[in-house]
Amino acid sequence: MAAEIVNPQGELADDAIDPAFALHRGGKMAVRATVPVRDTADLSLAYTPGVAKVCSAIAEQPELVHDYTWKSQVVAVVTDGSAVLGLGDIGPEASLPVMEGKAILFKQFGGVDAVPIALDTQDTDEIVDTVVRLAPSFGGVNLEDISAPRCFEIEERLKERLDIPVFHDDQHGTAIVTLAALRNAARLTGADLGQLRAVISGAGAAGVAIAKILIEAGIGDVTVCDRKGIVSQDREDLNSVKRELAGYTNRANLSGSLETALDGANVFIGVSGGTVPESAVATMAPGAFIFAMANPNPEIHPDVAHQHAAVVATGRSDYPNQINNVLAFPGVFAGAMQVRATSITEGMKLAAAEALAAVVADELSADRVIPSPFDERVAPAVTAAVAAAARLEGVARR
């Protein structure tokens, strides 16, 4: 007999009346064989004794593992459950529905198999060591919903120790899609990316990655704000990640509050939650772009944003221009794994953003600066661009 479910409001939830619970009953994934085992002949090939030949060949030539196992086609989706969606630190087991969801998005939108792995530790050393030990079974590692600043160190240490793509989607997926939307907003309005000043509200995983990719793409300036205001070199309360961030952003040398940063800014990018007062929004430059991506409540409500901006985007699916990571990560991994890349470089991320923007470059409007996640052109375009960039940057193995 199934256990009773009590929702956060203290009410009983019922599969029959709540479609979310009904859909998740029994999980959202299953393992499916790709070869038949119909008789003893099949069994002897799929398992013993035939499998021994393949094992021996791989032992002699380790690179054959990519050809004769699933390794080059499967990603580990790894979390510790410490920063899940808008739910926060809910632990590994409660994070599993999200990780399953991520895995099925990999498959549906990129043709990439993925396995959810929720780790019962938040110790950085233990996470790194565990993933390194699991890595022989996988062609790539997607880090998911790990809180900052640990997520930065975990990703960097794994990239140093592994020769397969390691990608923290909360950082880089968000950054790729944001850059693609910004490029198209600039194309639509005739703005020069190199003349724009962006303000990012949020100095966590997504905010830091967005700042980096915008700088790499040649934006005029980026000012990043956390809860205490502008991340600037004159602040003494910054952790190591924010100190580094202050060193390559804020060329205008601003200090003070988010409201100060917004005065005259061309772009607002929200990845923090909270609310930005309309009085501050009104001080932005004419023809501004507002990407308020907090879910479910954008930092600037679209109705307010449209009064002050030429292009508005959110993280929600019920408004135009949804900044959705599913536009990036399936194609990024598909492209990297297609060429058996040893890593995912900044050039590959920039190529993904360019390809994503190009999908709708001939169809631009204020309500269409980014494709729909269901646009079938997206994953092939991103996959091809990432594979080509991997070869160009010398990290492709085929």
Side-chain angles (χ1 to χ4, degrees), residues 49-321:
V51 73
K53 298 178 183 178
V54 180
C55 293
S56 298
I58 294 171
E60 292 178 11
Q61 296 177 260
E63 67 275 13
L64 292 179
V65 70
H66 297 283
D67 296 305
Y68 293 104
T69 73
W70 77 342
K71 181 179 175 72
S72 284
Q73 304 168 62
V74 67
V75 171
V77 179
V78 178
T79 190
D80 63 1
S82 61
V84 177
L85 295 172
L87 303 176
D89 185 357
I90 60 174
E93 289 180 324
S95 75
L96 266 177
V98 179
M99 301 310 116
E100 287 183 3
K102 196 80 173 192
I104 65 175
L105 296 181
F106 264 110
K107 185 65 173 179
Q108 177 164 337
F109 292 101
V112 175
D113 288 306
V115 176
I117 299 174
L119 301 179
D120 190 14
T121 178
Q122 293 187 11
D123 181 270
T124 296
D125 292 338
E126 290 182 355
I127 291 173
V128 170
D129 288 343
T130 301
V131 175
V132 168
R133 286 171 171 79
L134 289 169
S137 294
F138 298 98
V141 174
N142 182 83
L143 300 173
E144 190 75 21
D145 294 346
I146 298 173
S147 62
R150 293 177 309 116
C151 60
F152 302 112
E153 181 181 353
I154 289 168
E155 182 186 34
E156 287 306 311
R157 287 173 59 183
L158 286 173
K159 286 165 65 177
E160 290 170 1
R161 293 180 63 178
L162 298 177
D163 65 348
I164 57 175
V166 177
F167 186 84
H168 184 207
D169 184 51
D170 299 324
Q171 292 184 61
H172 309 301
T174 308
I176 287 166
V177 183
T178 301
L179 174 58
L182 183 58
R183 282 198 179 281
N184 276 344
R187 287 184 181 121
L188 175 67
T189 61
D192 181 350
L193 193 68
Q195 299 298 314
L196 300 180
R197 179 169 69 86
V199 175
I200 300 174
S201 177
V208 170
I210 292 169
K212 286 182 178 179
I213 203 168
L214 294 186
I215 295 292
E216 288 278 348
I219 198 169
D221 196 8
V222 178
T223 305
V224 183
C225 299
D226 63 10
R227 290 184 181 88
K228 296 182 179 179
I230 297 169
V231 176
S232 57
Q233 291 182 310
D234 61 355
R235 281 178 51 180
E236 298 180 355
D237 61 339
L238 302 179
N239 61 31
S240 59
V241 173
K242 292 181 183 179
R243 280 197 300 273
E244 181 184 359
L245 182 65
Y248 61 81
T249 61
N250 195 29
R251 294 168 185 158
N253 201 30
L254 301 174
S255 60
S257 66
L258 172 66
E259 287 79 3
T260 299
L262 280 176
D263 190 5
N266 309 100
V267 184
F268 171 82
I269 297 170
V271 284
S272 64
T275 303
V276 179
E278 184 173 2
S279 58
V281 179
T283 67
M284 294 181 69
F289 311 141
I290 293 178
F291 297 175
M293 299 187 287
N295 259 317
N297 299 311
E299 295 88 347
I300 303 169
H301 192 278
D303 292 344
V304 173
H306 278 294
Q307 297 177 37
H308 303 280
V311 177
V312 176
T314 72
R316 293 174 51 146
S317 60
D318 54 348
Y319 288 99
N321 297 326

Side-chain angles (χ1 to χ4, degrees), residues 1-73:
M1 181 177 178
E4 287 186 338
I5 302 167
V6 179
N7 67 22
Q9 288 74 42
E11 303 163 337
L12 284 177
D14 186 340
D15 285 9
I17 60 175
D18 191 325
F21 282 97
L23 183 142
H24 285 78
R25 175 70 67 183
K28 302 190 291 292
M29 299 176 60
V31 174
R32 181 183 63 84
T34 60
V35 296
V37 182
R38 300 160 299 195
D39 50 33
T40 55
D42 288 343
L43 181 59
S44 68
L45 290 173
Y47 199 51
T48 186
V51 73
K53 298 178 183 178
V54 180
C55 293
S56 298
I58 294 171
E60 292 178 11
Q61 296 177 260
E63 67 275 13
L64 292 179
V65 70
H66 297 283
D67 296 305
Y68 293 104
T69 73
W70 77 342
K71 181 179 175 72
S72 284
Q73 304 168 62

